[in-house]
Amino acid sequence: MAPTFAPAPFASFARALSPTSLAAVNHGADHRSSSRTYASAHAQTWQEVVACIPVSYRAQCTGPLKSLYDLAVKVSHAEAAHNRLLEAKSQAGTPPPQILGIHEPKWTMAKEFDVKAAGLKAESHQLWLNYRNAALDKGIELKGAELDWLKSQLEVEVYWPPIAEMLKGTYDAIQQKYRIPAPEPLEDGSLAYEVPTSLHLEYGAVRTDVAAYCIRVIEIERSRVLAEKYKNERKAQLHKAAEVELGSDDMAIDQETVTKADVASVVEKTMEKFLKSQAQKSAPKSQGKGQANAGGSKQQGKKPLPKRKLGKGQ
C-alpha cells in the first residue's frame, strides 16, 4: 500500500492568495505603513486590496471599499457622458439619443397654401432647433452637476469619517470579547484582565493602512480609464494616418461632408484597382496553364492504334 501524506495547509493557503496578498502578508509585521501597503499598489481589482486587510476587520471594510470603487466607476462613466455631450455641442460628435429623439413636427397643409406658408414654416423649424439646443445645454448642465457631486463624494473628508467610526466600533467589540489575564492582580487579590497588546498594535496599523487602501481602490478605476483613453487616442491616430494614406490617391474623405455615396465610391474605386492589379498578375500564368492543358488534352484524345499480329505467311 502506497504511503499517504497529509495535505499541506500552507500550500493551499498560498495558492488561494494573489501575489499582492502574499506580499502584504510578508510585510504585515513591518512597523512602517508604507512597507505594509506598498504591495497593494500592484493590485488589479478591489478584491485584492480587501484581501490585504487583517481578517478581524476585513468583512467590515469590504462594504465601504466596494462603495468607493463603485463611486469611482460612476465618476468615469459620468465624465465620459459629459464629454460626449460637449462634443455634440461643438458639432464634432453625434448628438445623444435624447436629442435625436426630438423630431421636428411636420404639418400637412393644402398644396395651394404651402408656398405662402414658407415664413411660418421657417419660424417653426427655428423654434425646433432652439428647443433642441436648449435641451442639449440643460443636459450638459445636469451631467456636469452630477459629475461634480460624484467627485465630491470621493474626497477624503467625506468618505473617511464613517470608515474611521466603523473601525473604532470593530476594535471596541474585539477588545471587549478578547482579553487576557493581567500580570498583576487587583487590590482585593482577584484576577485582573487586560486587552492584548497585539490588538492595540493591529488596530493602529489597520487604521493607518485602510486609509491608503481607500486610495488604491479609487486609483484602480482611474488607471483603467487612463489606459482606455490612451488606447482610443492611439486608434484615432491610426485612423487619421489611414485617411492621409487614402488621400494620397486623390480619394480623401471629408468627415464633415461625407455621405454614403462618397464611401461607396471610394470602396468601388479601391476594389476596382485591386482587382485590376490581381488580374494583371494572374493573367500570364493562367494563359500558360490553359495552353499546356489544351495541348495535353489533345495528346490524351488520340488513341493508339492496335498492333496487328503478323501471321506465319506474312
Side-chain angles (χ1 to χ4, degrees), residues 13-195:
F13 171 75
R15 284 194 297 270
L17 295 178
S18 66
T20 302
S21 301
L22 286 174
V25 171
N26 188 32
H27 294 278
D30 200 310
H31 67 281
R32 295 171 301 178
S33 177
S34 59
S35 299
R36 295 193 303 267
T37 60
Y38 177 74
S40 64
H42 302 277
Q44 299 294 325
T45 62
W46 68 270
Q47 291 91 339
E48 292 184 16
V49 177
V50 173
C52 298
I53 302 174
V55 176
S56 300
Y57 298 86
R58 186 177 302 168
Q60 290 80 1
C61 292
T62 300
L65 291 181
K66 176 64 166 59
S67 298
L68 273 180
Y69 177 77
D70 291 340
L71 275 175
V73 173
K74 291 178 181 178
V75 167
S76 62
H77 290 173
E79 189 171 8
H82 187 250
N83 291 335
R84 286 194 298 269
L85 291 179
L86 292 177
E87 291 177 0
K89 180 66 177 179
S90 62
Q91 298 181 353
T94 304
Q98 295 85 343
I99 302 300
L100 291 176
I102 304 175
H103 301 290
E104 181 179 4
K106 300 296 182 181
W107 308 103
T108 304
M109 292 174 291
K111 181 175 63 175
E112 295 78 6
F113 182 75
D114 189 49
V115 178
K116 298 182 180 181
L120 293 175
K121 290 170 64 177
E123 292 179 6
S124 176
H125 178 73
Q126 189 61 42
L127 288 173
W128 170 72
L129 289 178
N130 294 340
Y131 177 75
R132 283 184 45 153
N133 293 332
L136 181 58
D137 292 338
K138 185 57 65 174
I140 293 175
E141 182 181 352
L142 286 171
K143 295 305 291 186
E146 179 194 23
L147 180 60
D148 293 339
W149 183 84
L150 289 173
K151 286 184 176 180
S152 69
Q153 299 304 301
L154 293 180
E155 297 292 336
V156 63
E157 295 84 2
V158 176
Y159 70 75
W160 179 248
I163 296 178
E165 184 178 356
M166 176 271 299
L167 293 175
K168 182 64 169 60
T170 304
Y171 171 67
D172 292 340
I174 291 175
Q175 69 175 353
Q176 289 294 332
K177 187 175 182 180
Y178 302 106
R179 292 183 295 171
I180 59 176
E184 298 294 335
L186 299 176
E187 294 180 357
D188 58 358
S190 61
L191 190 62
Y193 298 92
E194 64 179 8
V195 179

Side-chain angles (χ1 to χ4, degrees), residues 86 151 185 191 200 215 226 232 243:
L86 292 177
K151 286 184 176 180
L191 190 62
H200 289 289
I215 300 175
L226 290 177
N232 293 334
E243 288 181 354

Side-chain angles (χ1 to χ4, degrees), residues 200-252:
H200 289 289
L201 296 176
E202 183 184 47
Y203 170 67
V206 167
R207 182 182 171 86
T208 305
D209 296 348
V210 169
Y213 293 150
C214 292
I215 300 175
R216 297 301 187 205
V217 296
I218 298 174
E219 281 296 302
I220 287 174
E221 174 61 18
R222 193 182 73 87
S223 61
R224 185 197 66 80
V225 172
L226 290 177
E228 189 70 20
K229 180 181 178 182
Y230 173 78
K231 180 181 176 181
N232 293 334
E233 290 177 353
R234 182 60 179 167
K235 288 172 63 177
Q237 292 175 359
L238 293 175
H239 183 68
K240 186 176 181 180
E243 288 181 354
V244 172
E245 184 178 356
L246 186 63
S248 62
D249 295 333
D250 298 330
M251 292 186 295

